[in-house]
Amino acid sequence: MVERILVVGAGAMGSQIGMVAALAGIDTTVQDVSAEQLPRAEAQLRDRLAGQVAKGRRTQEDVDAAFARLRFTTELETAAAAADYVIEAAIERIDIKRELFARLGAAAPAHAILATNSSTIPSSELADASGRADRVCNLHFFMPPLVMRAVEVVRGPETSDATVATTTALAERLGKTPVVLNREIPGFVANRLLWAIREEALRMYGDGIASYQDIDAAAREALGHPMGPFELMDLVGNDVAYRNKIAVYEQTGDEAELPHPALVALYEKGDYGRKTGKGWYDYDSR
Ligand code: 3HC
């Protein structure tokens, strides 16, 4: 039974994953190396949850109880020592994740499972660093984690049946639909579907077939998608979209996987989307 969760990384993903766990009644700590990021993450969550209370989606009591179960810290080892389950949602860089898995493997109790929210780095590339390869897997959430109902549970070659079972049960307790992958594949299932659309959208825009606004309109108004592919890149982050493609290129060596030049241009300008106030579209900076 998972009683205490540690989420590593207080970015948009990590902080919302922490809130999802706290709302499900689980004592949760969100850790980040940046002391400045923690109050920012908490303020964004308070804003978001206040909106849900105002809309009558949740009661103030439930939200207060969730915040009482949610702690923020910069201390990785102390938080890991108290955790039954760790969800790593740090930056998408293998060197950083391997170092984190080594530190988590040394500090967490022996029974604790170490999951990574990585969308592109399979847990098998982190497992040996942790010293507990059977208790490692990917548990991949979607943006925004407070809203999207599926999570992917990806079994690595050494992941045990018990780890998959505990992770699937935890996903259900968090109110999510687990999609279980029996083996690792670059991008997993949902992103592979998403990328097929995104790459076609970027190609049509790059070839001057239509504006990105009109391509977004086609996805929304002709296909009933909640957002078009360019709006979605701004939501997830153009930095994340860029790094995802680089990671797949590095895994496959296939130059067709390199990010589209238009995406590279936004990435190099730092126009990451909603989080920077500008991406394909302009947003009010928060
Ligand atoms: N964070 C948290 N909650 C958010 C949010 C955000 N950034 N944006 C919107 N929401 C919540 C709102 O609070 C609202 O909640 P409520 O229904 O309880 O009141 C709900 O979402 C609906 O919001 P809005 O009415 O303001 O706007 P929309 O109806 O347009 O919905 C959306 C926004 C949920 C983001 C919707 O457009 C959507 O589903 N878009 C597609 C998202 C998607 O495809 N995600 C997967 C991305 S791939 C990924 O994450 C993989 C990774 O590896 C990169």
Side-chain angles (χ1 to χ4, degrees), residues 261-274:
L263 179 57
V264 175
L266 284 187
Y267 175 77
E268 287 178 347
K269 274 196 283 179
D271 289 345
Y272 295 165
R274 290 195 188 194

Side-chain angles (χ1 to χ4, degrees), residues 97 129 157 214:
K97 289 189 194 287
D214 280 2

Side-chain angles (χ1 to χ4, degrees), residues 22-50:
L23 285 165
I26 304 172
D27 277 338
T28 304
T29 300
V30 174
Q31 183 273 349
D32 200 284
V33 281
S34 157
E36 294 83 61
Q37 177 57 22
L38 296 174
R40 228 173 7 233
E42 182 173 356
Q44 277 165 0
L45 287 176
R46 287 204 180 269
D47 244 32
R48 182 66 62 192
L49 273 295

Side-chain angles (χ1 to χ4, degrees), residues 149-225:
R149 292 194 304 271
V151 292
E152 289 171 319
V153 178
V154 187
R155 180 193 277 273
E158 295 184 77
T159 307
S160 69
D161 289 347
T163 297
V164 173
T166 303
T167 303
T168 305
L170 174 63
E172 281 166 355
R173 209 165 136 211
L174 299 182
K176 303 294 183 194
T177 303
V179 174
V180 178
L181 278 72
N182 299 320
R183 64 183 171 85
E184 295 171 340
I185 176 173
F188 312 145
V189 168
N191 267 337
R192 288 176 79 94
L193 298 174
L194 175 63
W195 293 348
I197 294 170
R198 179 183 296 168
E199 288 309 308
E200 186 58 26
L202 280 163
R203 196 163 25 240
M204 288 190 290
Y205 165 66
D207 289 350
I209 306 289
S211 67
Y212 59 83
Q213 294 92 334
D214 280 2
I215 297 171
D216 276 346
R220 278 196 318 270
E221 312 302 335
L223 304 177
H225 292 188

Side-chain angles (χ1 to χ4, degrees), residues 50-67:
Q52 294 202 343
V53 171
K55 282 194 211 159
R57 296 266 200 269
R58 296 182 195 276
T59 66
Q60 190 62 51
E61 292 70 43
D62 285 351
V63 169
D64 290 345
F67 274 107

